Amino acid sequence: MGSGRWSTDVYAAAAGYRAATGASAFAYSDSGARTVHDALNPHGVTVRESRDSDQHPRSTPIAILFDVTGSMGAVPRVLQTKLPELFGLLIRKGYCTDPQILFGAIGDATCDRAPLQIGQFESDNRMDDDLGRILLEGGGGGQRTESYELAMYFMARHTALDTVARGRRGYLFIIGDEMAYQRVKPDEVRRVVGDTIAEPISTEAIVAELQRSYDVYFIMPAQASYTGDAEILGHWRRLLGQNVIELDDLDAVCETIALTVGLGEDATDLDSGLVDLAEAGSAAGPTVGKALAPLGGTRGALVRSALPAGFGDGRATPVTRL
Amino acid sequence: MTEPRHVIVVDLGYGDAGKGTIVDWLCATRPVTTVIRFNGGAQAAHNVVTPDGRHHTFAQFGSGTLHGVRTHLSRFMMVDPLALAAEAGHLAGLGVASPFELLTVDRQALLTTPWHRAANRAREAARGDDRHGSCGMGVGETAAFALAHPDLAVRAGDTGSPATLVRKLRAIRDALTAELGPLDAPPVEAVAEAFRWFGTAIRLVSSSRQALRGPCVFEGAQGVLLDEWRGFHPYTTWSTTTFDNAETLLGETGDGDALRLGVVRTYTTRHGAGPLVTEDPRLTAALPERHNAHGPWQGAWRAGHFDAVAHRYAVEVCGGVDALAVTHSDVAARHDLKMCLSYGQLDRIVPGERGDLAYQEKLTQTLATATPVYTGLADLGEALGAPVAVTSHGPTWRDKSPGREADGSTARRSSQ
């Protein structure tokens, strides 16, 4: 490198950036925090809202909840580094209008300090702030179950989406590698969320309730402990049908989410979506193509027309692209 | 009059009027959330000195950083990731806890690479005595390369895609070495890795919209008299130095409410080659610049009396200013400064058509033979037809006084 006041060494620059990344990405958790950050604590929360506004007239809520226990601890770190790509794809390629993204984390209500963490729907970089506040549990029960049903209970009963009033639904992605418990338990709901429910709710019932507001997807990445486990995949397929996505490479998770939204909004088909990815310089194409083949291949019959009765009151508009 | 939400700070001279210290003051005294860079690149050198004696030459970070104000590098910026890392290191040394967390960079912003920098130096060295006064940072090369090879220019967003990044960096290296011979730069893979980490550590965004949510200060680089189209060709920068880019960004959010603040010194300076009608070697000797030495690439630091003719031209070509910031009024209080309200042969530099570089070159020739006609230093606001919003009589933000006191006598009173 040349001389002069501003010459700098390329390796020093790389090291400087790398150090900054390590120090700042999950500052809350990495600083040794042991409890859920106030901003993410679901207890006593009335609703997390995804609202239309002058700046975002047609909001598209996208909730991303991930298991933060055991082998899944890497997921939020990957998401954090890939987040710009996700948002960039959604907006640049017009996969959806006015995306608003919420992050949450799922643990185990039977034994974890942080069984449920839920951020806000954000349409800007503040979602990144939520991600940085997530407590990465790292432990986990090891019994092939996590409290996914409790998270789904919260999302079903404590979120309010303007898109639903417009006859549409939001997107909910759960990234995990274990099964939900069989029912939502009143004592856990009281302790974690603060609600009083008289009786347990079956997980099937809470999924059905949740699907009134969200298209729900389960993503199971390859690095997970139980990847390919037939029992776990079968569990989620019984609950969510074809909306179970097996992902060979966790690095492709953001692209997978972006393309799934694009498919759901009828903004792209799988083939052109993969071209978009290549154009955007993403190497994730083959992985995403494989993961989404089951969804992409059955587009005709999928999701959008299947709104439950009573929603939209006939005002539901067909998907239009601006 | 309600105060505009944003302030655009533009230097009406040849750079070095003191944009940094004015941005520092604005951030110290207003609820500014973000400083937005809207032109130039890492060659900016905006000096800020704190009341407790710390000093930083801001190049890519905004000059409000020491107040914790965020910086947004808009798509009009040419970002140099290597220089940025070094600057962050210095800021960390001054006590800024996590400098990168204060930054957002537009994905569309061009990146300056070590090959651009090396090419810049190679070309400038080859010019010998006809140097353009470049800073040797490769900013102009970055702009020129992007115009010639739009598909190969590296943008901040490319750092997320390793394959694209390496392909483009190779193409830049190959194109520039084919033109200029071997260039002094690290291997492509090493640069690619550093750039990837840059993209990971710094938040990349798709527009300036988010940055514009709170009150912003737009921090210009260089000066209007160096503008790529309005400056005196060829002694110009590859950058639009007027209010235009800032107003484009504001227009995109439908938020045009900004104060157009022009910064001038009580005397006129130029760093490097090019016209400086009022140049006075005695003034250069009497007023050495603490933070602007003779640059190895840029050349000599030059000083002259206040050139109202050239500054009026600047005000005119940038579409007028709402107010002025006058710096170095303490110098006016200590030295016998003069003011040039007309040249021997003309009292107005007439703007040409935008983009007519032949005309700009003619202006350069005219200015080369122009002789200044001097009067005593009078009120700069009157000379330029705009109110003085702030006067600076020292290096720190505490050495600023609102309002008009631009001439020496009042400044002397206020600095007691």
Side-chain angles (χ1 to χ4, degrees), chain A residues 1-3 6-8 10-11 13-14 16-18 20-21 24 55-56 81 84-85 92 124-126 128-129 280-281, chain B residues 59 81-82 84-86 100-101 107 117 121 137 160-161 164 184 186 190-191 193-194 197-198 200-201 203 205 210 213:
Chain A
M1 298 285 293
S3 59
W6 292 105
S7 72
T8 182
V10 65
Y11 302 100
Y17 288 125
R18 199 181 304 120
T21 312
S24 67
Q55 217 178 2
H56 305 286
T81 60
E85 281 165 54
R92 247 195 346 269
D124 54 51
N125 293 118
R126 279 172 297 179
D128 212 10
D129 296 343
Chain B
L82 304 187
L84 188 64
F100 295 133
E101 288 190 23
R107 290 161 191 287
R117 201 186 302 190
R121 292 175 181 187
M137 293 295 293
S161 4
T164 310
D184 182 18
V191 177
E193 199 203 336
W197 281 111
F198 155 82
T200 307
R203 199 174 287 173
V205 296
Q210 164 65 14
R213 279 200 175 174

Side-chain angles (χ1 to χ4, degrees), chain A residues 287-316:
Chain A
T287 312
V288 177
K290 184 178 163 205
L292 295 187
L295 287 182
T298 55
R299 282 295 308 135
L302 194 68
V303 287
R304 278 294 152 193
S305 57
L307 276 178
F311 272 81
D313 301 328
R315 290 183 292 114

